[in-house]
Amino acid sequence: MLNVKDLQLHLDGAVILDKLSFRLESGKTLCVIGESGSGKTSLLRSLQGLAPARFEELCFEPRSGSPVRYRAGWKGRPGLPGSRWVMQDPIAALSPRQKLGVSIAESLHGRNIARQDMNKAVVDALQDVDLPAHFASRRPSEVSMGQAQRACLARALIARPDLIFFDEPLSALDAIVQKQVALTMSRIQRRYGISYVIVTHDLGFAAAYADWVLVLRRGRVEASQAASNFFNAPDSAYCKELIEAAEALGELDTRTSADVGRAEATA
Amino acid sequence: MSIAAENLAGDQPDLRSKGHVADVSRFVRNLAAGLLVLGIVVTGGFLFTPYDPITPDFLDRLAGPSAEHWFGTDQLGRDVATRILYGGLWSIGLALLITTFGALVGVIVGLAAGHFGRLADMSLMRVTDSFFAFPELIAAVTIAGVLGPSTTNMVLALILVSWMKFARLVRSLAISLAHRDFVVQARLNGLPSWLILWRHILPNIGPSLLVLWTNAWSRSILSISGLSFLGFGVQPPHAEWGAMLLDGKSYMQTAPHVMIFPGLAILLAVLSINLIGDRLRDLIAGPNGLFSD
Amino acid sequence: MKTSKSGHHLFVGLAGRLGALACVLFGVSLITFTITFFAPGDKAAAIAHARYPDTQSFAPEILEGIRQEFALNEPFFTQYYLWLSRFLSGDFGNSFASNVPVWEIFVSNAAETLTLTLTALVLGLICAFFLSAIAVWRPGSLADRFAVALASIGAAMPNYWLGLLLILFFAAHLNWLPAYGTGTPAHLVLPAITLAFWVTASQTRLLRSFMLEAKAAPYVETLRLRGVSEREIFFRHVLRHACVPALTMIGLDVASLLEGTVIVELTFARGGLGSLLAGSILTRDYPMILFLVLFSALVYVILNTLIEVVQDLLDPRKTFLGRHRAASSGGERP
């Protein structure tokens, strides 16, 4: 449903992203892995039309609504219709003086929904991310990081997108909260059949949730493999090194606990 | 269930900031009460004095402070205390008017420069810089003087020389806010520009604007009095503090009270507004401030 | 490689600044000319009155002749162009009032103003330096509180009132010093003190906070742990490091200093550029007004630009940040 061919991004004469191609099937999870500065966030920005990327083709076919097919460059205003973006720092992503409910409802801007339906949608979305309804009237300064990230998730979810981009959604959170939010993400994906593109540098997380792995290094694709293949037989020496480093740090041990979580979520 | 677990895990909201909000709201209430008292004193005070601020009383000229005339009388026998109360309306009230208009112009220019692309930014900022290049009071004296000394021309002159600092502040805040994550989110959600400005940019500029506005207000009081003292502002017989100083200057040797009390009034008014401004700035931008992130 | 890059950076920054400066000066000239152009009243009559002070009324032919001579019948932009081209070629015009070149009047008055401003600046800076040093020596002490109070009061003090109070006490009451006028060094004392009081107040505020900041800096903490005496830390490190930012901050208040000078000159009935400006406004001497206002803007803009450049040169963090930002804009987050 998302198909990107030969995406390139040049800024001030520097090559940020070079010849990136990948595709993502409906309901699946693509993890984009790479060290900092490898162009992960630039990729997300390019896919939203926030960075002036060039490409041979950018094609997005949501299950409902008209497909988007751009050739050469982005056209129109930023934002891929039918998709939402959850950012790294949830507090920064929420307007500091706005109640969470208002921020969440803003995701439905331009859809002509009656006020009552809107309120109900907000409460439902909060429920989907395990937040009680009264959080709608809180402000970002009054909630924890984990709660804020859940609110951001609710903001993405309320629009019923077919694709959600995540930019290191867990890196601002504590370990236990990370796990809980990851479980919520996974449950939502199953319930609504949403595709995920998740930028991360956490191999453990990728091992637990990814269907497909895209490794970036200095703006180039280092590996593009199915997750199971990647962790057993990585395509390049660099990827092998990455996996070994993660193993040495014990990151990949979380794989087991996350698997348990996944089982829990399906049950 | 997971919420409970989350709280157990120590992922608590920052309570300090919550207490801080209470702190701010208490301060704002105190401020409002203080301003109300100030307002009653300057607007209502002269209604309760038995004297008229303008009508001369030639039998009682240049009398020193006494039980009847607390601050004495001036060269036309008018009660100085009454004139100071009445003059507060001119000095403080006109300063408020000028500052608010200046802020309004500045906010519009600043938002336009910060939000509508490079060309708008470049041209508007060059205009702002050009206006900014004049020392404020010198420009105001020139404009007010050339147009002819009157209160209206003074107000016009002071608005013309005071909007730029608001424009600069608003522009720089608007530009830095435009790249913040929550504004990017609003853009991606398809909000039109004006709605983003109204909902996301303006509310977050507000507190800094308030601090600058307070500073500009007290500065404006000094400017009004200065212009009136030089003869380019409020004209006699009206009792503006600077104009009263100008009157008192001629009778300084025989009746110093005519000159001392209006000056004291200016000093106290400016000092108290400055203190409010400092306190506001500490609350908003201090180490524990709302914007300390 | 690295140095050439930063040199390039500096050059581009300087060129940009000069370009902006040219824009601003153009804008300044346009604004100033606009004000005088749209001023109410008949300019021809003002010129005629200045030329023939004894004559009460003028024949229309004479006024028309003056309008022809000064191109007063031309449209706005023609007049502006004529004035600007003459101004740029160094012909600033003659004063309406005395028919003497504006430049000559300016030069004969500038010394008074410069003397007053510089005396007050030096005096105020010395006071501010000692006051803030004593204040920071023991924060929270009586001296510190005095310095803070003085800074607050100084910022709120109308300097014309302070001037009058000084006259009242030292000239009228004690009869130590002359109150009004110019001439002897004694005439300079009260105006200089008035202006210096403001300088002291505003600079004490700045210097004090810079010194407190320098005193709490991590490297000073390290020195303290190493056993360097408090006295040595204060004199060798705190004072020196607080001076650099403070020195560049002085310039930011050039505008207030110029304004203060104008008001103080008028309060003490001194000669000088401030009195000249006020007098010119009252007599509607437009060439003089144009020149003086443009001059004040020029001084202000040029000094501020110079100070920005000096700040860039002195502050390693600033250039580092600039480069850092440039690098990151080419990186992950444009």
Side-chain angles (χ1 to χ4, degrees):
Chain A
M1 69 182 308
L2 178 67
N3 194 358
V4 177
K5 243 189 227 166
D6 269 354
L7 185 140
Q8 303 189 18
L9 178 62
H10 298 239
L11 282 177
D12 301 334
V15 181
I16 312 297
L17 294 170
D18 194 19
K19 299 225 178 248
L20 246 71
S21 299
F22 61 87
R23 47 185 305 127
L24 175 64
E25 297 304 326
S26 187
K28 299 287 184 197
T29 300
L30 168 75
C31 273
V32 182
I33 298 171
E35 56 202 25
S36 48
S38 60
K40 293 171 296 182
T41 304
S42 293
L43 175 61
L44 286 196
R45 291 178 60 86
S46 301
L47 293 178
Q48 296 284 1
L50 292 169
R54 313 293 304 170
F55 36 75
E56 202 186 306
E57 191 184 58
L58 174 70
C59 176
F60 177 56
E61 288 159 343
R63 284 168 302 184
S64 55
S66 50
V68 177
R69 190 167 303 219
Y70 291 142
R71 287 182 193 281
W74 193 275
K75 290 170 196 76
R77 54 178 299 155
L80 207 53
S83 81
R84 282 295 182 265
W85 183 9
V86 175
M87 291 168 157
Q88 179 173 6
D89 180 351
I91 300 286
L94 293 164
S95 197
R97 266 150 221 290
Q98 221 172 36
K99 290 175 178 165
L100 296 185
V102 180
S103 287
I104 293 171
E106 214 164 66
S107 190
L108 292 174
H109 178 83
R111 292 204 191 171
N112 250 336
I113 299 172
R115 195 174 195 92
Q116 275 186 332
D117 298 338
M118 186 82 93
N119 287 342
K120 186 167 182 318
V122 169
V123 171
D124 287 348
L126 283 171
Q127 207 165 23
D128 275 334
V129 297
D130 297 327
L131 285 179
H134 68 259
F135 268 67
S137 57
R138 292 216 179 161
R139 284 172 214 280
S141 59
E142 298 164 347
V143 301
S144 71
M145 282 294 220
Q147 288 157 351
Q149 192 58 293
R150 283 172 191 277
C152 289
L153 198 53
R155 171 167 64 180
L157 187 63
I158 196 172
R160 292 287 175 270
D162 290 309
L163 171 62
I164 302 181
F165 296 99
F166 290 91
D167 187 359
E168 310 213 12
L170 306 179
S171 63
L173 313 177
D174 295 336
I176 293 178
V177 185
Q178 274 187 358
K179 186 188 139 194
Q180 290 163 343
V181 174
L183 287 177
T184 309
M185 280 167 59
S186 155
R187 198 186 60 227
I188 287 169
Q189 183 174 35
R190 266 145 215 286
R191 186 180 298 166
Y192 296 103
I194 307 170
S195 312
Y196 283 176
V197 171
I198 306 176
V199 160
T200 181
H201 55 241
D202 182 349
L203 280 178
F205 178 80
Y209 292 102
D211 296 303
W212 195 268
V213 173
L214 185 73
V215 181
L216 289 187
R217 189 190 184 194
R218 291 181 198 152
R220 288 169 190 277
V221 176
E222 188 74 26
S224 180
Q225 284 179 288
S228 48
N229 289 342
F230 175 76
F231 285 101
N232 296 326
D235 255 356
S236 74
Y238 173 72
C239 297
K240 205 171 169 193
E241 215 175 299
L242 266 184
I243 293 169
E244 279 165 6
E247 273 169 350
L249 286 170
E251 267 182 30
L252 285 180
D253 292 347
T254 51
R255 190 178 192 171
T256 47
S257 69
D259 280 343
V260 173
R262 183 177 265 194
E264 231 173 61
T266 18
Chain B
M1 185 199 85
S2 82
I3 297 155
E6 217 172 85
N7 286 343
L8 276 180
D11 187 34
Q12 298 274 3
D14 192 352
L15 287 175
R16 189 206 59 197
S17 64
K18 215 171 175 181
H20 184 75
V21 169
D23 215 28
V24 172
S25 70
R26 183 168 359 106
F27 173 70
V28 168
R29 250 176 298 150
N30 289 346
L31 178 71
L35 288 181
L36 196 69
V37 171
L38 191 74
I40 289 170
V41 167
V42 297
T43 57
F46 64 88
L47 293 177
F48 296 104
T49 72
Y51 305 105
D52 186 275
I54 292 179
T55 316
D57 175 9
F58 293 108
L59 297 176
D60 201 10
R61 296 174 64 232
L62 297 173
S66 64
E68 278 155 60
H69 299 286
W70 290 2
F71 295 166
T73 60
D74 69 0
Q75 76 282 4
L76 296 176
R78 299 170 295 195
D79 182 53
V80 172
T82 303
R83 281 177 68 77
I84 285 180
L85 287 173
Y86 184 81
L89 191 67
W90 288 94
S91 299
I92 299 176
L94 279 184
L96 200 64
L97 181 85
I98 289 164
T99 316
T100 308
F101 260 94
L104 207 64
V105 175
V107 167
I108 291 169
V109 172
L111 283 182
H115 208 262
F116 293 112
R118 254 207 141 90
L119 193 70
D121 186 23
M122 281 284 276
S123 40
L124 283 174
M125 275 305 113
R126 287 294 92 82
V127 173
T128 309
D129 286 348
S130 302
F131 273 90
F132 224 11
F134 298 98
E136 206 175 299
L137 203 67
I138 293 179
V141 165
T142 310
I143 298 172
V146 166
L147 292 182
S150 80
T151 307
T152 324
N153 289 341
M154 174 192 71
V155 169
L156 200 70
L158 284 176
I159 291 175
L160 265 178
V161 300
S162 68
W163 58 273
M164 297 82 70
K165 42 187 185 262
F166 291 101
R168 276 199 179 170
L169 177 83
V170 169
R171 170 189 171 265
S172 72
L173 288 176
I175 286 177
S176 77
L177 282 168
H179 297 287
R180 295 272 288 272
D181 286 352
F182 64 90
V183 178
V184 172
Q185 282 284 347
R187 265 173 76 199
L188 291 178
N189 285 341
L191 268 72
S193 275
W194 67 268
L195 205 58
I196 293 179
L197 282 179
W198 180 250
R199 274 202 203 160
H200 296 283
I201 309 273
L202 214 51
N204 291 299
I205 288 174
S208 312
L209 202 60
L210 189 65
V211 172
L212 182 64
W213 180 81
T214 324
N215 285 342
W217 185 17
S218 69
R219 214 193 137 95
S220 209
I221 293 179
L222 281 176
S223 300
I224 291 174
S225 306
L227 282 181
S228 301
F229 177 71
L230 298 182
F232 296 115
V234 179
Q235 300 296 312
H238 293 295
E240 198 280 333
W241 292 339
M244 291 172 71
L245 268 179
L246 181 59
D247 282 347
K249 190 182 165 191
S250 319
Y251 306 93
M252 211 162 68
Q253 304 226 12
T254 48
H257 61 267
V258 184
M259 173 280 272
I260 287 177
F261 289 114
L264 205 60
I266 300 174
L267 178 67
L268 289 180
V270 175
L271 195 62
S272 45
I273 294 175
N274 277 349
L275 289 178
I276 293 172
D278 286 355
R279 182 91 178 88
L280 263 180
R281 196 185 43 227
D282 291 347
L283 274 174
I284 288 163
N288 296 319
L290 282 176
F291 280 74
S292 53
D293 52 349
Chain C
M1 171 75 201
K2 214 171 184 180
T3 48
S4 81
K5 198 172 176 185
S6 71
H8 175 71
H9 218 94
L10 197 70
F11 178 74
V12 170
L14 209 63
R17 279 222 180 84
L18 284 178
L21 189 68
C23 272
V24 165
L25 289 179
F26 175 73
V28 160
S29 72
L30 195 60
I31 295 169
T32 325
F33 189 79
T34 308
I35 295 168
T36 52
F37 184 84
F38 289 107
D42 186 0
K43 291 191 188 65
I47 299 170
H49 274 293
R51 279 201 184 164
Y52 316 103
D54 301 328
T55 319
Q56 284 305 313
S57 63
F58 298 96
E61 303 86 64
I62 295 180
L63 292 181
E64 190 52 37
I66 289 173
R67 283 197 197 99
Q68 293 288 337
E69 188 186 337
F70 287 88
L72 292 176
N73 291 329
E74 302 293 327
F76 175 79
F77 279 105
T78 315
Q79 286 197 39
Y80 174 65
Y81 174 76
L82 286 173
W83 168 73
L84 190 66
S85 50
R86 249 184 277 138
F87 199 90
L88 288 178
S89 67
D91 175 14
F92 305 127
N94 286 7
S95 158
F96 283 176
S98 56
N99 215 12
V100 174
V102 163
W103 172 250
E104 282 172 25
I105 303 177
F106 167 77
V107 169
S108 66
N109 279 277
E112 286 294 344
T113 301
L114 204 63
T115 317
L116 174 61
T117 313
L118 286 183
T119 314
L121 191 62
V122 171
L123 192 69
L125 283 180
I126 292 171
C127 291
F129 188 79
F130 279 106
L131 202 60
S132 44
I134 296 167
V136 173
W137 181 247
R138 276 186 215 297
S141 67
L142 208 63
D144 189 23
R145 277 184 221 168
F146 174 73
V148 172
L150 187 94
S152 308
I153 291 174
M157 178 72 89
N159 42 19
Y160 35 94
W161 186 56
L162 179 66
L164 292 183
L165 288 183
L166 290 178
I167 290 173
L168 188 64
F169 192 69
F170 290 102
H173 188 67
L174 294 175
N175 216 357
W176 285 357
L177 292 160
Y180 301 113
T182 344
T184 64
H187 282 99
L188 188 62
V189 178
L190 291 183
I193 290 177
T194 309
L195 198 52
F197 182 74
W198 172 80
V199 177
T200 309
S202 68
Q203 293 303 312
T204 300
R205 199 187 176 98
L206 284 174
L207 270 171
R208 180 180 168 276
S209 67
F210 284 137
M211 284 185 189
L212 280 179
E213 209 172 281
K215 219 181 161 186
Y219 80 94
V220 170
E221 212 51 56
T222 319
L223 288 176
R224 218 168 265 147
L225 288 176
R226 244 196 261 155
V228 179
S229 79
E230 201 63 27
R231 184 183 301 263
E232 199 183 328
I233 288 176
F234 191 77
F235 284 105
R236 291 197 51 184
H237 300 279
V238 173
L239 287 191
R240 243 184 27 207
H241 280 84
C243 280
V244 177
L247 273 178
T248 59
M249 289 300 283
I250 293 167
L252 299 180
D253 253 332
V254 170
S256 306
L257 194 65
L258 291 177
E259 292 169 11
T261 310
V262 170
I263 288 203
V264 168
E265 277 182 2
L266 290 167
T267 309
F268 288 91
R270 284 175 63 81
L273 299 177
S275 307
L276 186 60
L277 177 66
S280 311
I281 290 172
L282 288 176
T283 56
R284 308 203 154 264
D285 190 348
Y286 293 114
M288 201 71 235
I289 298 173
L290 272 175
F291 182 82
L292 286 174
V293 173
L294 269 182
F295 174 77
S296 72
L298 199 69
V299 170
Y300 180 37
V301 171
I302 288 179
L303 273 178
N304 268 347
T305 309
L306 271 180
I307 282 152
E308 274 172 33
V309 172
V310 170
Q311 267 175 335
D312 268 11
L313 290 178
L314 281 182
D315 191 353
R317 268 174 310 174
K318 202 163 175 182
T319 48
F320 169 73
L321 265 182
R323 225 177 290 145
H324 178 72
R325 224 172 273 143
S328 77
S329 75
E332 277 247 338
R333 225 172 252 262

